Amino acid sequence: MTIRLGYGTNGLTDLRLGDALALLADLGYEGVGLTLDHMHLDPMGPDLLARTRQAAARLQALGLGVTVETGARYVLDPRRKHGPSLLDPDPEARAARTGLLVRAVGVAAELGAHAVHCFSGVMPLGTAPDTGWERLTGALAPVLDAAERAGVPLAIEPEPGHLLGHLSDFHHLRALCGDPEPLGLTLDIGHCQCLEQASPVDCVREAAPWLRHVQIEDMRRGIHEHLPFGEGEIDFPPVLAALDALGDTGYAGLTVVELPRHSHAGPELAQSSIEFLRKHTPPSH
């Protein structure tokens, strides 16, 4: 199969980063979705460049590709999950999130990453939609500039409950920003099942031209809960066939298993996940 499977470190938070990377390589994964967080390549800690270069050497030695993910829950604020966001009413707070993303672009460039993943954030109560989009585009502008300079695309994810929650919202953002070259899309297969009108298969096909990163897990309609494979409602063989066909469109990024609430069973789920995905991927055409 042409799908390049990875596993997210946000589902392996009980392991040291080096141990997590070795595990994934031993299991046969081709890459990793590396969430910058206090337990794995802390973006706010000292000696970031040295630690990043050490991680890059380890990734290279293990033959693992990487996408940098920025969905750590409390990396900026120990009291507010995912706070501050790109939509925060306080300009200095928004700037803190922008700064983290710019830093993530620098880390990604050092690692040779395929993309930097991010999301918009939840709209603060009482905020008008136009104000939210204005804040988002303004906060992303320096990140897109950094991404263009570094040659690393930014892949924003439609996230249930966020301002940018649907695939259509990605295209709205793209238009507001003037369709900049570095702005791409993270497609989460479970989110497609959860709330998109189109099927996950159709979402893959529709997203293909802008796709820079893929996340995958099982999920049920209308319930935003990341589930191990086989515990939700997704029919995976046609979805995996559609992902396998992305090679024809030039997509060379990773398809990363996203189970951020299952770290207690991370090693076992990493093994069962790759076995499931291999079993249910049809032979390449």
Side-chain angles (χ1 to χ4, degrees), residues 80 84-94 122-125 127 131 135:
R80 286 194 298 161
S85 79
L86 297 170
L87 306 177
D88 199 289
D90 182 355
E92 291 187 5
R94 293 198 301 277
V122 176
M123 279 278 278
L125 289 175
T127 303
T131 300
R135 289 176 185 168

Side-chain angles (χ1 to χ4, degrees), residues 82 85-87 118-124 136 156-157 159 161-165:
H82 296 148
S85 79
L86 297 170
L87 306 177
C118 70
F119 44 56
S120 69
V122 176
M123 279 278 278
L136 180 59
I156 193 162
E157 177 187 8
E159 183 79 20
H162 286 212
L163 172 65
L164 199 153

Side-chain angles (χ1 to χ4, degrees), residues 46-54 110:
D47 304 318
L48 178 59
L49 180 58
R51 289 184 288 112
T52 300
R53 288 177 173 172
Q54 183 179 20
E110 288 289 338

Side-chain angles (χ1 to χ4, degrees), residues 40-267:
H40 291 152
L41 198 55
D42 184 357
M44 311 308 291
D47 304 318
L48 178 59
L49 180 58
R51 289 184 288 112
T52 300
R53 288 177 173 172
Q54 183 179 20
R58 185 64 172 150
L59 288 163
Q60 184 174 13
L62 293 169
L64 293 173
V66 60
T67 299
V68 170
E69 303 202 6
T70 61
R73 294 183 179 96
Y74 296 100
V75 70
L76 287 177
D77 188 331
R79 293 173 175 82
R80 286 194 298 161
K81 181 181 176 182
H82 296 148
S85 79
L86 297 170
L87 306 177
D88 199 289
D90 182 355
E92 291 187 5
R94 293 198 301 277
R97 177 61 61 174
T98 295
L100 174 64
L101 295 179
V102 169
R103 187 172 297 191
V105 170
V107 169
E110 288 289 338
L111 295 177
H114 301 293
V116 172
H117 151 276
C118 70
F119 44 56
S120 69
V122 176
M123 279 278 278
L125 289 175
T127 303
D130 287 349
T131 300
W133 287 109
E134 182 179 356
R135 289 176 185 168
L136 180 59
T137 55
L140 282 178
V143 188
L144 291 169
D145 288 344
E148 184 171 24
R149 291 193 300 271
V152 179
L154 186 70
I156 193 162
E157 177 187 8
E159 183 79 20
H162 286 212
L163 172 65
L164 199 153
H166 293 79
L167 286 172
S168 59
D169 296 323
F170 165 72
H171 294 296
H172 182 59
L173 175 67
R174 200 164 55 84
L176 289 175
C177 293
D179 197 15
E181 178 65 26
L183 180 60
L185 175 68
T186 292
L187 185 71
D188 187 300
I189 300 301
H191 294 173
C192 297
Q193 175 70 22
C194 178
L195 84 168
E196 294 289 349
Q197 290 187 350
S199 69
V201 170
D202 288 339
C203 287
V204 171
R205 293 170 179 160
E206 292 170 13
W210 301 277
L211 206 54
R212 302 296 179 265
H213 183 44
V214 177
Q215 297 172 345
I216 191 167
E217 68 285 314
D218 216 340
M219 203 168 287
R220 300 186 182 99
R221 184 70 179 169
I223 303 173
H224 185 204
E225 181 182 4
H226 291 235
L227 298 172
F229 298 110
E231 296 186 15
E233 300 171 343
I234 297 176
D235 181 16
F236 277 99
V239 173
L240 292 166
L243 290 171
D244 194 45
L246 285 175
D248 297 337
T249 71
Y251 179 70
L254 297 171
T255 296
V256 171
V257 178
E258 184 81 357
L259 293 172
R261 296 185 179 180
H262 292 78
S263 283
H264 62 282

